[in-house]
């Protein structure tokens, strides 16, 4: 049936050296064949979406598979303990991220017993689809192809268009990486079991498993598993080897001929795409009840024996690379492949859900890039781009920080595949420019949203103040006048601020009992603060009561007073807070 | 010929009607220039520009009563955008208005707070929650970092903390460093 199928092609693409042979020679090293690392560092935020809340505290004993990070709302995914042991800290640790920034992590010291929490499979056939999705969310299942998008969010039947085709991505086009290849060779039936759950949740009549034709063993085992499954609607299809055939839109194009236009999603065309590793994880989570605590990782590059390992999340990268044979001239780790991967900030960052491959880099293996030359507008990059973009235009505008223009050239359709950089005769690190532009645009977007919200809140507050003023206008006409006079007076007195703390005494309106109460509280707090802060806190405390009395004068004049102060006394206002930092 | 004229005339009437309708339907509230300026201002509402909020400063600028370099939170970037929009010359930030600082949010020392509600009343964007005699807290995502709550606090328990970068807000650096080796070589 394979031969009958007409395949399509995508434009562009490149054929880099695959470097896959070394790591795919030997079978996957299973979890039970590996020692436990001395310590696990499990970052709480490993997927797209919200940050899970820690559910454990330091000193607590955890069991293998116990949930340690609860999903925050729906657009997020849970995190679990990789083994049994003691939580020694819940603190920020350096994350497997190029930035070298930290992320709240649960540090676990294993007790060596590897004792499972109570687990049970889910009888998904008799369950409501939403309950199955919630189960997957709580089992921490995310896309393992690299995008780590929470799977339960993607397993929704199409809103606008009914789901037609479920595409399973076994193309694995990136050089060096062989973890999906080995998974398909060794655990094909389990992948099929996962696929059956997924197609049920999606309601997709047809399933197409796309595998690049440089993986004949994987194609053979997957085809055999399909045959054994006796379901003609699940088919394995060999696709031509050309990077990036494993990009979701590219694989969909090749298998179905559907070309998803710029800025749209494949689901609008009734197609959804998942990685084979995700299918396997879904089977594990539902049919066995095992939450996602490990994945297949290819260890390649500058190591003694490149190979695939099943690795628990939170394992330090250097621990697992040492299993494959450490070489002393290793100078960095790259997470992911050489085309799309990211340089790690340290050797001991943890393996996370997105880690499909760790390449040990050395100066010998990856020579420093030749110097960047000016763009000659040769158009090579545009011919290589698999998403039909104009890379050099995006480059020019990114370079000029002209972000509006970059977006007009569909920057956000760029999958950062690196084909353009690969072919560029001027060795321009094009993708670095796109990454710079993307994060810069996101930051501006965030800033703009925050400003918009602030504007609305400021206006609402002003309206409220206006309304309150109006309502009280008649009643308080006289007092308002007094307040105006009073708020002008304090502005004058603030200028000579070195007034003694006795200043509260000359308060003009010393009538309220309330005021006395506040003063008592201030005195208490002052004492407490002086006690706590020692010498450091004294100067401002002496100075403060003056200002307090002045602004306390009339409650409703406070807003005006604050703004007034900012206006007329901005030096005084700036002076104080600045010196504090 | 006549029919062509008629068609053109008919079209003109139709388009005129459509434009008239659109002018009514999509009528812009307020002064569009003020809104355009206001969209550039950072909405910190700190008053450092000498106006009680961003909108009043925007209005003053639109009326030509204020200079474009008076908003420290907007920084150089903001001044450049204002210069572009208003067709004026770029000039550096007026030091009298303050200096550009990294974005910070206010933080209340909950041990010291006496619940006097003074900061709450000073906050221009309602970013502080709390009731009388209860401990007050800053709702950090709403705080614009305007520092207006610092001065009114009688027990001096509010401090400004710079917003830290996280993995989610981290930005890729401008790749210009790649050019350095070339520049060095040509210079040598
Ligand atoms: S391949 Fe490089 S030199 Fe050629 S047009 Fe693209 S960016 Fe410019
Ligand atoms: S990195 Fe982006 S622009 Fe470059 S070839 Fe890939 S998709 Fe096209
Ligand atoms: S100085 Fe403050 S109030 Fe004035 S425009 Fe800038 S952010 Fe707004
Ligand atoms: S909490 Fe303080 S610094 Fe933050 S917006 Fe309100 S008044 Fe300004």
């Amino acid at each position: 049936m394979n031969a009958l199928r007409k395949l399509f092609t995508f434009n562009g693409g490149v054929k880099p050296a695959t470097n896959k042979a070394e790591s795919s020679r030997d079978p996957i090293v299973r979890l039970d064949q590996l020692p436990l690392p001395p310590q696990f560092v499990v970052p709480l935020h490993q997927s797209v979406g919200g940050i899970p809340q820690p559910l454990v505290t330091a000193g607590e004993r955890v069991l293998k598979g116990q949930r340690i990070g609860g999903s925050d709302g729906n657009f997020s995914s849970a995190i679990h303990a990789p083994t049994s042991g003691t939580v020694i800290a819940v603190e920020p640790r350096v994350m497997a991220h190029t930035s070298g920034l930290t992320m709240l992590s649960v540090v676990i010291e294993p007790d060596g017993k590897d004792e499972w929490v109570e687990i049970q499979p889910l009888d998904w056939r008799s369950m409501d689809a939403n309950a199955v999705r919630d189960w997957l969310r709580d089992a921490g299942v995310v896309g393992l192809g690299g995008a780590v998008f929470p799977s339960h969010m993607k397993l929704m039947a199409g809103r606008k268009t009914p789901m037609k085709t479920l595409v399973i991505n076994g193309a694995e086009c990136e050089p060096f990486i062989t973890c999906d290849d080995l998974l398909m060779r060794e655990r094909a039936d389990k992948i099929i079991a996962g696929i059956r759950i997924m197609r049920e949740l999606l309601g997709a009549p047809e399933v197409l498993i796309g595998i690049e034709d440089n993986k004949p063993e994987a194609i053979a085992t997957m085809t055999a598993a399909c045959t054994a499954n006796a379901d003609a609607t699940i088919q394995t299809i060999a696709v031509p080897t050309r990077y990036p055939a494993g990009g979701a839109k590219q694989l969909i194009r090749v298998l179905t001929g559907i070309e998803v236009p710029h800025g749209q999603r494949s689901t609008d065309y009734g197609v959804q795409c998942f990685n084979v590793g995700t299918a396997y994880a879904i089977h594990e989570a539902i049919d066995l009840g095992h939450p996602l605590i490990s994945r297949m990782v290819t260890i390649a590059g500058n190591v003694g024996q490149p190979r695939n390992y099943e690795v628990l999340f939170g394992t330090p990268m250097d621990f697992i690379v040492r299993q494959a044979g450490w070489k002393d001239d290793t100078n960095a780790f790259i997470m992911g492949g050489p085309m799309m991967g990211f340089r790690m900030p340290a050797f001991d960052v943890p393996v996370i859900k997105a880690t499909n491959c760790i390449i040990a880099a050395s100066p010998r293996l990856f020579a420093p890039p030749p110097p960047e030359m000016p763009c000659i507008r040769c158009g090579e990059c545009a011919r290589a781009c698999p998403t039909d973009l104009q890379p050099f235009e995006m480059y020019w505008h990114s370079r000029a920080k002209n972000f509006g223009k970059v977006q007009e050239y569909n920057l956000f359709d760029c999958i950062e595949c690196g084909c353009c950089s690969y072919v560029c005769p001027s060795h321009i690190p094009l993708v670095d420019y796109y990454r710079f532009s993307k994060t810069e645009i996101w930051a501006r977007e965030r800033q703009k949203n925050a400003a918009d919200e602030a504007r609305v809140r400021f206006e609402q507050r002003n309206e409220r103040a206006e309304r309150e003023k109006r309502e009280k206008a008649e009643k308080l006409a006289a007092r308002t006048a007094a307040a105006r006079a009073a708020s002008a007076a304090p502005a004058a007195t603030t200028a000579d601020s070195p007034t003694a703390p006795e200043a509260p005494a000359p308060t003009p309106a010393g009538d309220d009992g309330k005021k006395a109460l506040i003063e008592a509280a201030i005195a208490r707090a002052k004492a407490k603060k002086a006690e706590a802060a020692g010498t450091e806190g004294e100067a401002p405390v002496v100075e403060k009561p003056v200002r307090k009395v002045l602004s306390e004068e009339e409650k409703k004049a406070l807003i005006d007073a604050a703004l007034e102060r900012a206006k007329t006394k901005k030096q005084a206002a700036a002076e104080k807070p600045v010196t504090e930092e | 010929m006549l029919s062509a004229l008629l068609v053109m005339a008919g079209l003109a009437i139709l388009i005129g009607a459509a434009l008239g309708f659109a002018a009514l339907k999509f009528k812009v509230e307020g002064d569009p220039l003020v809104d355009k300026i206001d969209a550039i201002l950072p909405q910190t509402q700190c008053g450092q520009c000498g106006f009680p909020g961003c909108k009043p400063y925007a209005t003053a600028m639109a009326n030509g009563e204020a200079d474009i370099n008076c908003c420290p939170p907007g920084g150089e970037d903001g001044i450049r955008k204002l210069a572009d929009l208003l067709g004026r010359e770029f000039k550096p930030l007026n030091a009298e208005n303050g200096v550009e600082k990294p974005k910070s949010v206010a933080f209340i020392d909950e041990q010291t707070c006496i619940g006097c509600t003074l900061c709450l009343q000073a906050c221009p964007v309602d970013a502080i929650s709390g009731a009388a005699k209860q401990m007050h807290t800053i709702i950090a995502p709403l705080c614009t970092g305007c520092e207006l709550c610092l001065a009114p606090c009688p027990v001096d328990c509010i401090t400004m903390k710079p917003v830290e970068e996280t993995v989610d807000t981290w930005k890729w650096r401008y790749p210009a460093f790649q050019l350095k080796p070339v520049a060095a070589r040509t210079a040598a």
Side-chain angles (χ1 to χ4, degrees):
Chain A
M1 103 195 50
N2 210 340
L4 295 179
R5 193 165 191 97
K6 177 180 175 337
L7 289 183
F8 302 81
T9 55
F10 61 91
N11 301 327
V14 292
K15 285 201 167 190
T18 58
N19 289 309
K20 287 177 188 263
E22 296 85 359
S23 59
S24 58
R25 224 170 278 143
D26 298 312
I28 298 170
V29 179
R30 293 193 317 272
L31 276 177
D32 53 12
Q33 297 169 316
L34 270 178
L36 287 173
Q39 207 178 68
F40 286 91
V41 177
V42 189
L44 282 169
H45 188 34
Q46 300 189 23
S47 63
V48 174
I51 302 178
Q53 292 304 308
L55 300 175
V56 290
T57 49
E60 214 170 296
R61 177 156 197 265
V62 290
L63 294 172
K64 180 176 185 155
Q66 181 180 334
R67 211 182 315 155
I68 54 176
S71 110
D72 154 46
N74 249 339
F75 189 35
S76 161
S77 198
I79 300 288
H80 303 79
T83 186
S84 62
T86 315
V87 176
I88 51 176
V90 180
E91 63 186 17
R93 288 290 186 101
V94 175
M95 172 72 169
H97 188 272
T98 316
S99 64
L101 290 170
T102 57
M103 164 69 59
L104 191 62
S105 307
V106 177
V107 185
I108 297 171
E109 196 173 79
D111 58 11
K113 299 195 189 106
D114 213 25
E115 192 182 328
W116 271 99
V117 72
E118 197 186 316
I119 49 169
Q120 59 190 51
L122 182 76
D123 179 18
W124 60 276
R125 285 185 181 81
S126 61
M127 302 277 293
D128 173 54
N130 278 325
V132 180
R133 282 185 202 106
D134 287 351
W135 179 276
L136 287 175
R137 180 193 66 207
D138 293 339
V141 179
V142 298
L144 296 181
V148 284
F149 195 90
S151 296
H152 65 277
M153 301 281 300
K154 270 176 81 183
L155 283 167
M156 303 268 188
R159 280 222 181 84
K160 279 182 268 171
T161 336
M163 209 37 80
K164 283 201 298 272
T165 309
L166 167 60
V167 168
I168 299 296
N169 191 341
E172 199 169 55
C173 55
E174 176 128 9
F176 286 99
I177 309 179
T178 55
C179 59
D180 289 347
D181 182 5
L182 270 285
L183 183 73
M184 289 186 288
R185 288 192 209 179
E186 295 182 15
R187 308 186 189 179
D189 47 340
K190 293 180 174 166
I191 296 175
I192 299 285
I195 291 173
R196 294 174 58 134
I197 301 170
M198 290 156 99
R199 65 106 57 97
E200 198 66 34
L201 288 176
L202 282 171
E206 176 189 46
V207 182
L208 303 176
I209 307 167
I211 306 173
E212 270 193 349
D213 57 15
N214 62 356
K215 303 177 191 56
E217 295 98 330
I219 295 171
T221 47
M222 288 301 286
T223 312
C226 287
T227 319
N229 187 47
D231 183 346
T233 58
I234 303 183
Q235 302 173 36
T236 302
I237 295 158
V239 302
T241 300
R242 184 157 54 109
Y243 180 82
K249 281 187 178 176
Q250 285 68 36
L251 188 63
I252 288 170
R253 179 82 200 273
V254 169
L255 290 176
T256 65
I258 294 171
E259 192 172 353
V260 183
H262 290 309
Q264 291 199 32
R265 292 163 196 281
S266 66
T267 38
D268 300 337
Y269 294 83
V271 186
Q272 187 62 286
C273 183
F274 286 89
N275 178 265
V276 283
T278 316
Y280 176 75
I282 287 176
H283 156 73
E284 289 265 307
I286 289 183
D287 294 330
L288 301 178
H290 288 180
L292 186 63
I293 54 169
S294 66
R295 66 162 295 150
M296 311 306 154
V297 181
T298 307
I299 309 298
N302 193 35
V303 290
Q305 177 49 58
R307 205 172 165 178
N308 283 285
Y309 292 82
E310 186 167 2
V311 188
L312 293 165
F313 300 132
T315 305
M317 285 191 183
D318 57 346
F319 178 85
I320 199 78
V321 171
R322 273 169 217 285
Q323 305 293 322
W326 180 270
K327 286 194 183 168
D328 280 338
D329 59 338
T330 299
N331 62 352
F333 286 164
I334 293 168
M335 183 172 99
M339 301 291 283
M340 297 178 73
F342 299 93
R343 186 172 278 255
M344 292 292 105
F347 288 132
D348 60 352
V349 293
V351 169
I352 54 173
K353 292 180 182 179
T355 314
N356 50 1
C357 177
I358 303 167
I359 301 179
S362 69
R364 182 183 49 83
L365 198 62
F366 296 103
E372 176 181 332
M373 310 280 278
C375 169
I376 53 172
R377 290 197 175 257
C378 63
E380 280 301 317
C381 50
R383 274 188 286 281
C385 178
T387 33
D388 305 321
L389 301 172
Q390 303 283 323
F392 57 91
E393 296 283 6
M394 300 198 305
Y395 157 70
W396 280 105
H397 294 304
S398 295
R399 222 185 124 106
K401 302 187 187 168
N402 194 345
F403 299 117
K405 271 279 187 234
V406 193
Q407 270 175 284
E408 277 174 34
Y409 281 99
N410 294 310
L411 172 70
F412 285 99
D413 279 330
C414 166
I415 56 172
E416 300 178 20
C417 66
C419 291
C420 49
S421 312
Y422 182 82
V423 299
C424 176
S426 294
H427 312 293
I428 304 173
L430 294 163
V431 179
D432 288 357
Y433 282 95
Y434 309 149
R435 286 174 173 163
F436 159 73
S437 284
K438 284 184 185 176
T439 46
E440 194 65 40
I441 291 167
W442 285 327
R444 280 164 197 232
E445 197 88 336
R446 274 195 301 274
Q447 222 172 41
K448 198 185 160 296
N449 291 343
D452 286 346
E453 182 164 11
R455 182 184 295 116
V456 170
R457 294 181 71 86
F458 180 63
E459 277 163 13
Q460 282 172 349
R461 179 178 178 281
N462 285 351
E463 267 163 37
R464 196 183 61 219
E466 279 298 312
R467 198 177 55 232
E468 278 167 13
K469 226 187 249 168
R470 255 198 326 274
E471 282 166 4
K472 290 182 183 169
E474 307 88 34
K475 259 194 284 177
L476 299 176
R479 278 181 67 186
T480 312
R484 284 276 147 79
S487 71
T493 34
T494 333
D496 43 19
S497 58
T499 322
E502 289 89 58
T507 308
D511 39 84
D512 304 336
K514 194 166 128 204
K515 184 157 289 168
L517 274 176
I518 293 177
E519 259 147 39
I522 293 170
R524 270 201 307 280
K526 210 158 62 179
K528 208 157 75 179
K529 194 171 171 163
E531 223 172 84
T535 55
E536 174 260 330
E538 259 168 56
V541 175
V542 175
E543 200 186 341
K544 271 300 172 168
V546 182
R547 206 159 279 156
K548 173 257 148 196
V549 172
L550 302 168
S551 18
E552 168 66 10
E553 218 62 71
E554 278 299 333
K555 264 190 164 183
K556 61 186 162 23
L558 258 166
I559 303 152
D560 298 329
L563 291 170
E564 198 81 54
R565 228 193 345 273
K567 190 157 72 177
T568 57
K569 295 281 171 296
K570 49 183 181 277
Q571 300 96 324
E575 201 179 301
K576 240 190 70 56
V578 173
T579 48
E580 249 166 51
E581 277 307 301
Chain B
M1 183 66 199
L2 185 68
S3 63
L5 274 178
L6 277 177
V7 167
M8 291 314 280
L11 267 178
I13 289 167
L14 246 159
I15 291 170
L19 280 176
F21 174 73
L24 285 178
K25 170 105 197 235
F26 304 110
K27 187 162 174 286
V28 182
E29 297 271 338
D31 184 344
L33 181 60
V34 171
D35 285 341
K36 269 190 203 153
I37 299 174
D38 197 39
I40 294 173
L41 296 176
Q43 306 302 321
T44 308
Q45 316 294 1
C46 60
Q48 288 182 84
C49 50
F51 294 89
C54 301
K55 190 81 169 253
Y57 177 40
T59 315
M61 257 190 285
N63 298 338
E65 291 157 2
D67 224 330
I68 59 170
N69 61 343
C70 303
C71 170
E76 299 242 321
D77 228 28
I79 299 172
R80 256 175 237 287
K81 282 189 197 149
L82 288 171
D84 271 357
L85 175 71
L86 300 170
R88 296 199 209 169
E89 218 26 54
F90 169 82
K91 45 175 105 173
L93 182 66
N94 187 346
E96 276 177 33
N97 295 92
V99 287
E100 194 177 347
K101 284 185 276 182
K103 165 109 170 38
S104 303
V105 294
F107 174 79
I108 295 182
D109 174 9
E110 300 178 349
Q111 296 305 309
T112 319
C113 173
I114 54 169
C116 66
T117 75
L118 290 178
C119 57
L120 195 132
Q121 298 169 57
C123 179
V125 292
D126 293 331
I128 306 181
S129 80
K133 297 203 203 116
Q134 305 268 304
M135 178 199 82
H136 286 32
T137 311
I138 312 274
I139 309 163
L142 298 179
C143 172
T144 65
C146 70
E147 305 188 353
L148 290 179
C149 53
L150 297 185
C153 176
V155 293
D156 222 5
C157 71
I158 310 180
T159 45
M160 300 304 293
K161 295 199 168 171
V163 180
E164 279 177 25
E165 209 172 28
T166 68
V167 169
D168 289 318
T169 59
W170 179 76
K171 296 190 285 185
W172 283 84
R173 305 298 178 250
Y174 187 65
F177 60 86
Q178 293 273 0
L179 284 167
K180 271 187 195 147
V182 191
R185 222 166 291 158
T186 44

